[in-house]
Amino acid sequence: MDTKEIKQLCKKAIEAKENSYSPYSHFRVGAALLTSDNKIFQGCNIENAGFTATNCAERTAFFKAISEGFKDFKAIAISGDADDYLYPCGVCRQVMAEFCDLDNFMIYLAKDEDDYKEFTLRELFPGAFTPDELEKGVR
C-alpha cells in the first residue's frame, strides 16, 4: 500500500469512532478493514452492561465484511481515544489470524492519518493459531 492509501484507511478508522457505543468506558475505538478487492468495512466498539458481551471495533469490521461474503483481507487501521497507539486485543488478533496471512496482512495503529505505526500480523501475534497449521496438525 502506498502512503496515500494508508492515510485514507487511517482516516476511515478515525471516522468509525463516531459510531462507537461506549456508555460505560467512554473510550471510543474505530477500525477500517481493507479487503483484497479494495473495499473498506468500518467498525466501532459496541459495549454492553455485561462486559463480556462487548465487541471490539476490529471484530465488528471483520464480522461485517465476512457476513457480506468477503474473506480475503489486506490491512486494517485502528484508532482509539488514547494518547498512544491502540493495539488490538488477543481475541481480535486471533480473529485476524483466522482470515489473514500472518506475513502480508498489515495493521496500522493510527493516532491520526499522519501519525501511525505499521506491523504485520505475525509481528503482533507471533504464536498465532492459523487454520492451515491446525489442519496440517502443526499444533
Side-chain angles (χ1 to χ4, degrees), residues 6-16 42 77 110 112-113:
I6 295 168
K7 287 183 178 195
Q8 175 66 14
L9 196 63
C10 291
K11 182 179 177 185
K12 291 289 190 183
I14 293 163
E15 287 175 3
Q42 291 174 290
D112 62 53
E113 59 191 89

Side-chain angles (χ1 to χ4, degrees), residues 5 8-9 12-13 31-35 38-42:
E5 292 172 311
Q8 175 66 14
L9 196 63
K12 291 289 190 183
L33 177 64
L34 181 65
T35 70
N38 293 319
K39 183 166 176 55
I40 296 174
F41 286 88
Q42 291 174 290

Side-chain angles (χ1 to χ4, degrees), residues 6 24-27 30 40 44 50 54 56 59 61 66 69 72 83-84 94 99 107 115 126 128 130 133:
I6 295 168
Y24 307 104
S25 70
H26 306 287
F27 187 81
I40 296 174
C44 62
T54 293
C56 298
R59 282 182 282 139
I66 293 162
D72 192 15
D83 293 332
D84 204 355
Q94 184 58 56
F99 294 98
I107 301 169
D115 185 1
T130 65
E133 289 176 334

Side-chain angles (χ1 to χ4, degrees), residues 24-135:
Y24 307 104
S25 70
H26 306 287
F27 187 81
R28 302 173 312 151
V29 181
L33 177 64
L34 181 65
T35 70
S36 61
D37 299 343
N38 293 319
K39 183 166 176 55
I40 296 174
F41 286 88
Q42 291 174 290
C44 62
N45 58 322
I46 303 167
E47 294 182 348
N48 189 283
F51 287 113
T52 58
T54 293
N55 202 56
C56 298
E58 301 92 309
R59 282 182 282 139
T60 299
F62 267 92
F63 297 161
K64 283 172 64 176
I66 293 162
S67 70
E68 292 188 29
F70 294 87
K71 293 186 181 85
D72 192 15
F73 306 105
K74 292 197 300 192
I76 192 168
I78 306 160
S79 182
D81 284 342
D83 293 332
D84 204 355
Y85 303 99
L86 184 64
Y87 290 78
C89 75
V91 174
C92 288
R93 293 177 201 201
Q94 184 58 56
V95 168
M96 291 176 198
E98 185 73 19
F99 294 98
C100 304
D101 183 284
L102 295 174
D103 296 307
N104 295 309
F105 182 73
M106 297 305 299
I107 301 169
Y108 300 97
L109 311 178
K111 287 185 184 180
D112 62 53
E113 59 191 89
D114 294 311
D115 185 1
Y116 58 86
K117 287 185 175 184
E118 68 178 45
F119 300 91
T120 64
L121 179 54
R122 186 176 303 279
E123 288 173 319
L124 290 185
F125 199 17
F129 286 90
T130 65
D132 289 342
E133 289 176 334
L134 291 173
E135 190 174 295

